[in-house]
Amino acid sequence: MLGATAALRIGAAESSEKGRAFTFAVLNPDCMAGGAGQCVVMLTPGGKCYLWDTANGCPHTDKVKNNGKDIVVPWLKAHGVKAIDGLIISHYHADHFGGFLWMHDHFPIRKVFDNSFVPTDGKPLREHDAVELTRAKDALAAWEKAHPGMLVTNTNSSTDLGWDEPGVKFEVVWPPKEGPVGPLAHFRRSSATDFPFHHLLNANSTGLRVTVGKRTFFIAGDIQEQYITDYMRPYLEKRNQWNCDVLVLPGHGNPRNGGDVLAMNPRPKIAIGSIGNVPWMIASGKASQRTFSQAGIETYTTNIHGDVVVTTDGDGLSVHTDPSKLYTYDPSGTEGVRMVPCGNAQVVTVQAPPGYNSWPMIQAAGGRVVCAYSRGSAHTTHEGKRDTYARMSLDGGRTWGPETCIVGDPAIGDAVEGRGVDENGALLFWVGRFGARGGHDLYRTTDGVTFEKIASLPAKFLSPMPIQVMDVFRIPGKGLASPWFAGNYKNPESGHSWGLLVSTDNGHTWTQRTVEENLAKRDWPTELSAVSLGGGRILVLARSEGTGAQFQITSTDNGATWRRRKTNITDVRESTPSLIFDPKTRLVSNYYYQRGAKKLKRRVADAAFIFDRPESWPEPDVLAEGGEARSYDAGNVKATVCGDRHLIALYSGTKSDCAVFVVIAPAPNTVK
């Protein structure tokens, strides 16, 4: 469930009416045979529920799925809504009013505002348009008969919805009260007899602005292209209404509307496209997301993110996405950007495509969770366009704030490679530099937004030069430590090593120590994860290169000596482990992603038992499943503790577009 804490912070928070947040949810519709579909749910601090449209429903038959029945009403019930206090029907297209065909006599609706516009030039309607119009009118008439006086027609910019409450203002801003817009010159006719009913309905669909404290939400409707440029934009600019903080993109995110959106002053902080996962919309959605993301606008699309929920207290903004609510998939590769939860786990998108967003590192401390990741164009570190970014969550990973660039040097490739916490509780992130100025830098943050470089380890100070410096952990009485590994992936015989970096001054300077060297590739532990168990004992799990099992490495003298053995964890394919040790339950959790099988797994063991029994790890649980076109375009798990939950970061996607996800799962309290 959503909380009122704003993770995507803009300004200082101020309390809202009754201490509750305003919720603005763009639900992901099931597009069925066609149409994009749209439904926006608004829950006010005063406890009211208002809807802008009801998503898809086929007007030709009742014997198919209806989004009102299958998506909208279940969402409302899950959020404690017992009745809809007000509903706007923006226009008579079935992907907008279709849900109402079922909802009008199955779920309480107290008042309906009907756009009512029906364009005509005297020509007969096409059969499809006529059916849509007839079904919409019949459903509205049936509802009005059961609720006399509760249907408001001809909704336009002069309509007073009567929805205002302290701190929240609703305004219908389109179509103009002066009358409908759109000369026939703006229509692309397919024949001399083609009636532009479809386009005129879109151009005059209802537009709504909602102001909550300092924040403004704008649903621009289905208006597109030249109608925005010639009509809506100048009309709203004169009224100082062509601006907002959160924009539901006009025309379902048609990228040809981009110029007018980018002309908003100020530009939106967040843009949301209700974009169907049907072939004719996929390219449009990707182009739209690229256009607005490159302009610095946080951009979400329902075909990738699922439900997109924005909450505000009137000052801060928080975004929560639910990619589990995806109904159809892109045959060109969007399926590879999915991550579906299993059991009682949840999946949240931290960063979606475009771009190869990958290799995330997540760390929680002091009420903050930071997820750092890098973005480039492919599965490679050696490109100048690969930079390192981070987002912060203030509500346990359910919502994520704006993207911060940690390192953005165009001359080198860089990627986050390890994370941890210093002696004072500040968050630490190792960032690897690749290229002529290769090395490893340690960044520290206390607020999750600003990052200070506190240590730099260039290649000339390291021998051997690590491929990667891993997670920071604390050795009692010794200081901070980070495992590293070095070698050449292409050399199967020898020359591989691993060891520790140790800091006795809270991360500012480091001493390199080699534990094992000149190893064959089959004996080489990489991407190591370590936890201190107390009493001088340290437990390490490591990835193996090739087809072998994960390694388990242990020390009983705070890292002075080590013993490396193979585990019984063979359901891996060069998969990165991530350990969490709970000192209360004395349980250790090993998280990893099984490439090829496309499963995020967790094995839980008693720390004392497993320490000397590496081949006795219990069978795993599956927490999430996600597909990828190539095995290396998913994985690299990192886990952290946040309250009574474990947060596991990983990525999944295609060879050019990947998303970073966080899976939220209850901390285990027993061994399987």
Side-chain angles (χ1 to χ4, degrees):
M1 300 297 288
L2 294 174
T5 302
L8 201 162
R9 300 304 302 172
I10 304 171
E14 60 183 31
S15 61
S16 59
E17 182 72 11
K18 295 189 178 182
R20 296 175 56 182
F22 175 82
T23 298
F24 186 90
V26 181
L27 304 189
N28 183 38
D30 186 341
C31 296
M32 299 180 293
Q38 195 159 33
C39 174
V40 180
V41 181
M42 293 160 282
L43 306 179
T44 75
K48 300 295 186 181
C49 173
Y50 302 114
L51 265 65
W52 187 90
D53 283 341
T54 58
N56 268 303
C58 182
H60 299 273
T61 176
D62 295 320
K63 298 179 180 180
V64 297
K65 291 185 292 184
N66 181 286
N67 286 185
K69 174 183 178 182
D70 300 326
I71 297 172
V72 180
V73 168
W75 193 97
L76 296 176
K77 289 182 177 180
H79 289 76
V81 176
K82 301 184 183 306
I84 298 167
D85 295 285
L87 164 65
I88 292 174
I89 299 292
S90 72
H91 62 298
Y92 298 143
H93 278 152
D95 63 328
H96 287 256
F97 76 77
F100 182 73
L101 297 177
W102 180 88
M103 291 170 62
H104 75 87
D105 58 0
H106 289 87
F107 194 80
I109 304 172
R110 292 180 175 140
K111 198 164 188 176
V112 175
F113 293 82
D114 175 21
N115 178 288
S116 304
F117 173 67
V118 179
T120 180
D121 62 359
K123 295 184 176 67
L125 298 181
R126 294 175 300 175
E127 180 180 358
H128 177 82
D129 294 332
V131 170
E132 285 193 342
L133 178 61
T134 300
R135 289 300 301 272
K137 289 291 189 181
D138 287 350
L140 286 165
W143 184 86
E144 184 183 26
K145 183 176 181 180
H147 304 82
M150 292 294 103
L151 177 66
V152 178
T153 58
N154 300 309
T155 303
N156 58 48
S157 63
S158 67
T159 302
D160 181 3
L161 297 172
W163 295 355
D164 293 358
E165 60 184 60
V168 184
K169 180 181 181 181
F170 294 86
E171 300 173 276
V172 176
V173 296
W174 195 260
K177 62 182 179 181
E178 293 80 5
V181 301
L184 298 183
H186 286 160
F187 295 111
R188 298 183 297 275
R189 290 174 177 261
S190 59
S191 68
T193 59
D194 180 25
F195 178 63
F197 180 87
H198 176 93
H199 304 284
L200 275 173
L201 279 179
N202 284 342
N204 291 279
S205 58
T206 304
L208 180 70
R209 278 172 63 92
V210 186
T211 303
V212 185
K214 299 177 182 178
R215 300 300 166 196
T216 300
F217 298 74
F218 181 26
I219 307 172
D222 252 10
I223 189 170
Q224 296 185 47
E225 301 181 48
Q226 202 64 32
Y227 296 102
I228 300 177
T229 302
D230 287 358
Y231 298 109
M232 176 180 273
R233 176 179 161 188
Y235 183 83
L236 296 182
E237 281 180 334
K238 290 180 181 178
R239 291 157 177 78
N240 195 30
Q241 294 175 324
W242 191 241
N243 56 72
C244 62
D245 296 290
V246 180
L247 172 67
V248 178
L249 291 167
H252 300 278
N254 184 337
R256 290 189 291 268
N257 303 333
D260 289 296
V261 170
L262 296 180
M264 287 185 166
N265 187 20
R267 289 179 179 175
K269 308 293 187 301
I270 300 165
I272 306 168
S274 185
I275 295 175
N277 228 340
V278 289
W280 60 272
M281 293 202 73
I282 287 167
S284 174
K286 289 181 178 179
S288 177
Q289 188 173 56
R290 188 176 301 110
T291 295
F292 300 122
S293 294
Q294 289 175 350
I297 300 172
E298 295 287 333
T299 306
Y300 301 86
T301 57
T302 57
N303 67 323
I304 291 176
H305 297 90
D307 296 345
V308 181
V309 183
V310 184
T311 57
T312 184
D313 58 2
D315 194 345
L317 292 168
S318 175
V319 182
H320 171 212
T321 62
D322 188 354
S324 67
K325 300 296 174 57
L326 295 171
Y327 303 101
T328 55
Y329 307 109
D330 177 4
S332 68
T334 300
E335 183 170 1
V337 194
R338 295 173 53 230
M339 191 60 57
V340 179
C342 301
N344 55 3
Q346 298 174 266
V347 175
V348 176
T349 303
V350 178
Q351 178 64 39
Y356 199 95
N357 302 283
S358 56
W359 312 319
M361 299 285 156
I362 190 169
Q363 185 64 54
R368 292 180 172 85
V369 185
V370 173
C371 183
Y373 51 91
S374 69
R375 179 164 59 248
S377 63
H379 190 99
T380 178
T381 56
H382 290 72
E383 56 174 349
K385 65 178 67 176
R386 178 167 286 282
D387 296 322
T388 299
Y389 303 90
R391 293 180 184 269
M392 180 181 65
S393 173
L394 296 174
D395 60 0
R398 293 174 178 81
T399 62
W400 293 87
E403 187 175 80
T404 298
C405 183
I406 301 177
V407 184
D409 188 339
I412 61 170
D414 52 78
V416 63
E417 53 188 4
R419 85 297 190 247
V421 178
D422 73 5
E423 302 279 5
N424 301 319
L427 279 65
L428 301 174
F429 291 91
W430 283 107
V431 176
R433 290 180 278 112
F434 304 92
R437 293 188 282 112
H440 304 273
D441 297 330
L442 184 63
Y443 288 82
R444 176 179 181 269
T445 180
T446 57
D447 60 8
V449 177
T450 56
F451 293 80
E452 173 193 10
K453 183 164 63 175
I454 64 170
S456 184
L457 306 180
K460 64 181 180 180
F461 294 148
L462 298 168
S463 180
M465 173 64 173
I467 294 175
Q468 196 169 335
V469 177
M470 305 304 297
D471 298 341
V472 179
F473 70 104
R474 184 173 176 269
I475 302 178
K478 301 289 185 179
L480 303 179
S482 287
W484 57 265
F485 64 95
N488 185 337
Y489 291 113
K490 296 181 180 180
N491 182 0
E493 298 303 325
S494 62
H496 305 96
S497 59
W498 74 275
L500 290 179
L501 289 171
V502 178
S503 173
T504 58
D505 59 1
N506 208 21
H508 291 274
T509 61
W510 295 81
T511 301
Q512 184 180 21
R513 178 193 167 201
T514 300
V515 176
E516 291 186 287
E517 59 186 342
N518 203 31
L519 295 171
K521 187 177 180 180
R522 64 179 176 274
D523 298 322
W524 183 32
T526 64
E527 304 197 14
L528 307 92
S529 179
V531 290
S532 292
L533 304 180
R537 297 185 306 160
I538 301 173
L539 175 67
V540 177
L541 268 288
R543 160 177 156 168
S544 60
E545 299 301 317
T547 58
Q550 287 182 352
F551 290 105
Q552 180 165 307
I553 310 170
T554 54
S555 173
T556 58
D557 51 13
N558 277 332
T561 59
W562 295 88
R563 183 183 183 187
R564 172 174 51 84
R565 290 171 286 180
K566 282 291 186 79
T567 68
N568 63 325
I569 304 172
T570 58
D571 53 338
V572 292
R573 180 181 176 185
E574 299 175 347
S575 184
T576 305
S578 186
L579 295 179
I580 290 178
F581 172 62
D582 186 337
K584 293 182 179 180
T585 63
R586 308 297 297 176
L587 297 179
V588 61
S589 299
N590 177 15
Y591 292 93
Y592 58 96
Y593 178 83
Q594 185 180 1
R595 284 172 161 159
K598 310 173 185 178
K599 299 178 187 296
L600 172 64
K601 294 185 173 183
R602 175 179 67 189
R603 294 183 187 238
V604 181
D606 177 81
F609 173 83
I610 205 65
F611 189 82
D612 289 316
R613 300 174 180 85
E615 295 185 344
S616 298
W617 280 90
E619 288 300 304
D621 295 314
V622 177
L623 302 183
E625 298 182 358
E628 77 280 355
R630 304 183 307 165
S631 62
Y632 288 102
D633 297 321
N636 285 77
V637 167
K638 288 293 174 180
T640 190
V641 179
C642 187
D644 61 353
R645 296 288 188 270
H646 287 182
L647 277 57
I648 309 100
L650 71 164
Y651 75 98
S652 178
T654 67
K655 64 181 180 180
S656 59
D657 289 303
C658 288
V660 171
F661 299 99
V662 166
V663 177
I664 305 173
N669 52 29
T670 59
V671 175
K672 185 173 181 179

